[in-house]
Amino acid sequence: MQTRGHRTFRFVWWSCNLLLATAFVAMLYSCVREYSVRRYLDGFSDAIVPNALPAEQKVEAILNWMRAEPSRADTTNPEALAGRDPEMTLTYRQLLNVCGTATNAFLNLARSSDLRVRRLLLLSPDRRTKHVVAEALIDKRWIVIDPTYRVIMQDARGHYLTRSELRDPAVFSEAVRAIPSYPREYTYDQFAHVRLARLPLEELHLRRLLDGIYPGWDESVGWIDDDLSSIWCSPRERQFSFCRCGSCLPGMGTAV
């Protein structure tokens, strides 16, 4: 009986050590991968965005690069691409024409160019994602950029617009009038920075709870870690970064 207990203890001890060693190796791999991606993005952004430019011109430089369609690679099976991989999103034309992955590419390049940016999910009345855009902090204002259409949202006078300004139907209509084929349903009535629907706590109404405890929490943490907004999405949703909007891909959005 004593020998049997001793064997059980040794089995548990070796198992714990094996799991610890596996976790350590995985951590090392993640660190190396993160460093490699950061170096890649820094080099890529340095090639297209001069460091000396002010924030507004850095945004324009990134959008100008995204408009250069002839330099893109093509694939016959875009769903096989890793939509969250920065190298993929910067390389393939199909990914740069989908709002989620186009926004990913913009955010990656903007952060590597020392810009403060964050993702903004535009929601339908049933809180499903209908479009994905970005916000950049310029002159102490979070202005809206739509990487899919390669534009900074602005009015007829060239004044850059914030999300709150775009909630005004007249201002929104004026802004999109100058953008060819821009869907009028991409309004700013409802939005989110952080996506919570896929957390296994839906019955707790987590968003409503957080709104009650800390109003504005979404605004405070949304820009810190962009990957928060993709937690718990399925592989297919992660492939195109939440969006199933009509002009990008057929199908419905996912709840936030």
Side-chain angles (χ1 to χ4, degrees), residues 69-230:
E69 292 291 342
S71 63
R72 306 288 176 259
D74 279 294
T75 178
T76 56
N77 186 19
E79 292 192 14
L81 300 175
R84 299 289 297 179
D85 186 333
E87 295 184 35
M88 293 292 184
T89 59
L90 295 174
T91 300
Y92 286 92
R93 180 182 58 80
Q94 286 92 335
L95 294 183
L96 284 169
N97 287 333
V98 176
C99 64
T101 42
T103 301
N104 284 347
F106 174 84
L107 294 174
N108 287 329
L109 291 175
R111 290 193 177 112
S112 296
S113 302
D114 300 321
L115 292 171
R116 282 187 62 181
V117 291
R118 60 191 182 187
R119 177 186 281 112
L120 182 67
L121 310 177
L122 304 184
L123 309 178
S124 61
D126 59 355
R127 297 198 65 81
R128 292 184 176 274
T129 305
K130 58 185 178 182
H131 194 45
V132 186
V133 296
E135 291 178 301
L137 188 63
I138 296 178
D139 295 331
K140 299 181 180 181
R141 299 171 65 243
W142 285 102
I143 68 167
V144 175
I145 297 106
D146 193 329
T148 311
Y149 291 87
R150 310 340 184 203
V151 295
I152 303 175
M153 302 299 284
Q154 55 188 298
D155 60 20
R157 300 180 301 279
H159 170 72
Y160 294 143
L161 301 170
T162 64
R163 180 190 69 241
S164 58
E165 290 172 321
L166 285 165
R167 297 185 75 175
D168 184 329
V171 174
F172 176 78
S173 296
E174 182 179 324
V176 302
R177 194 176 299 130
I179 307 172
S181 304
Y182 198 91
R184 296 304 191 266
E185 64 267 22
Y186 292 168
T187 57
Y188 291 74
D189 300 326
Q190 296 192 52
F191 64 89
H193 291 107
V194 181
R195 185 168 181 267
L196 300 176
R198 287 285 169 175
L199 289 171
L201 302 170
E202 188 173 356
E203 65 278 2
L204 298 180
H205 304 288
L206 189 56
R207 181 174 292 277
R208 189 181 305 171
L209 179 64
L210 290 172
D211 287 341
I213 296 174
Y214 180 19
W217 67 271
D218 181 290
E219 190 84 16
S220 300
V221 305
W223 63 270
I224 296 174
D225 185 357
D226 185 58
D227 286 336
L228 283 173
S229 55
S230 64

Side-chain angles (χ1 to χ4, degrees), residues 4-70:
R4 187 175 180 182
H6 179 68
R7 287 177 179 172
T8 302
F9 173 79
R10 287 184 63 84
F11 173 78
V12 172
W13 185 82
W14 279 108
S15 297
C16 290
N17 278 275
L18 180 61
L19 290 172
L20 182 62
T22 302
F24 182 72
V25 170
M27 182 192 70
L28 286 179
Y29 172 80
S30 298
C31 290
V32 172
R33 170 65 178 168
E34 179 72 12
Y35 176 77
S36 173
V37 169
R38 294 295 176 189
R39 292 275 295 177
Y40 172 82
L41 290 173
D42 286 343
F44 204 108
S45 63
D46 287 346
I48 63 175
V49 184
N51 284 329
L53 294 179
E56 176 186 336
Q57 292 181 33
K58 285 183 177 181
V59 171
E60 284 289 1
I62 295 171
L63 294 177
N64 285 336
W65 172 81
M66 295 182 74
R67 294 184 189 108
E69 292 291 342

